[in-house]
Amino acid sequence: LPLTYGFINLYVFSLSTVPLCPTGWSEYGNRCFLFQSTETDWATAESYCRQHHTDLASVRSMSENEQMKGLVQSAGEIQAWIGLYRNSWMWVDGSNSSFRHWRASEPNGSEENCATAVHADAGQWEDWPCSWKMPFFCNAGKP
C-alpha cells in the first residue's frame, strides 16, 4: 500500500513469517531440535538422526538444555538420548562445545558409554549403557 509523506511515497508490505525449521521441529536460536518419542538404543538413534536429519543433538548451553527439557516434559517423558558418548565424552556431530551438565556423581560406570539428559531431574545428564532404549533428540542447523 502506498503512503504519502511529504514528497516521499512509502510502501508497506506484509511479510509472512516463514518457519526456519521443518514442520514438527522446535527452533531455538540458530538450531532446530526434533524430539523422537520412539524408544531405541543409542546407536540406532544416532543412525536414524544421521540418515534422516543431521545427527543426535549436541547441547551447547544451559538455555538449549532447558529448551530440550521442556520438549521432553511436554511429551510426558523423563529422559532422552543426546549426542554425547564416552570417547573423552565427545559430541557425535564433532562440535567442540565444552558445555556439560552432569549430575553430581556422573559420569560413572565403565559400561555406561552414552549420555542421556534426565529432564525430570533439572535436566542433568547421566551416562547409561548404550543398549538401553529411550527417546532421543536429533538436531540440525537452520536450513
Side-chain angles (χ1 to χ4, degrees):
L1 294 166
L3 299 175
T4 303
Y5 182 75
F7 295 106
I8 302 171
N9 287 331
L10 299 175
Y11 290 86
V12 178
F13 296 95
S14 172
L15 299 176
S16 61
T17 304
V18 178
L20 298 172
C21 295
T23 302
W25 289 66
S26 296
E27 181 180 344
Y28 188 78
N30 64 349
R31 305 187 60 211
C32 300
F33 294 106
L34 178 66
F35 177 71
Q36 290 284 17
S37 60
T38 303
E39 293 187 2
T40 187
D41 62 81
W42 192 91
T44 302
E46 178 190 26
S47 177
Y48 174 87
C49 290
R50 284 185 172 176
Q51 182 178 1
H52 298 285
H53 308 295
T54 301
D55 218 325
L56 276 168
S58 57
V59 185
R60 298 179 185 167
S61 67
M62 182 58 83
S63 57
E64 282 186 2
N65 198 67
E66 287 297 313
Q67 173 78 4
M68 295 169 75
K69 174 184 168 185
L71 294 172
V72 171
Q73 288 174 332
S74 67
E77 297 290 343
I78 296 171
Q79 59 191 1
W81 290 125
I82 56 176
L84 191 62
Y85 68 102
R86 187 188 305 263
N87 181 0
S88 299
W89 291 107
M90 296 174 48
W91 294 106
V92 294
D93 66 2
S95 66
N96 62 359
S97 172
S98 60
F99 175 74
R100 299 292 187 267
H101 192 49
W102 292 109
R103 198 178 224 174
S105 61
E106 302 288 342
N108 62 10
S110 61
E111 299 299 316
E112 299 175 349
N113 296 317
C114 296
T116 181
V118 183
H119 295 286
D121 187 17
Q124 292 182 321
W125 304 348
E126 291 187 16
D127 57 340
W128 293 108
C130 300
S131 61
W132 286 19
K133 295 184 187 224
M134 62 187 70
F136 58 97
F137 278 101
C138 297
N139 76 343
K142 289 182 181 175

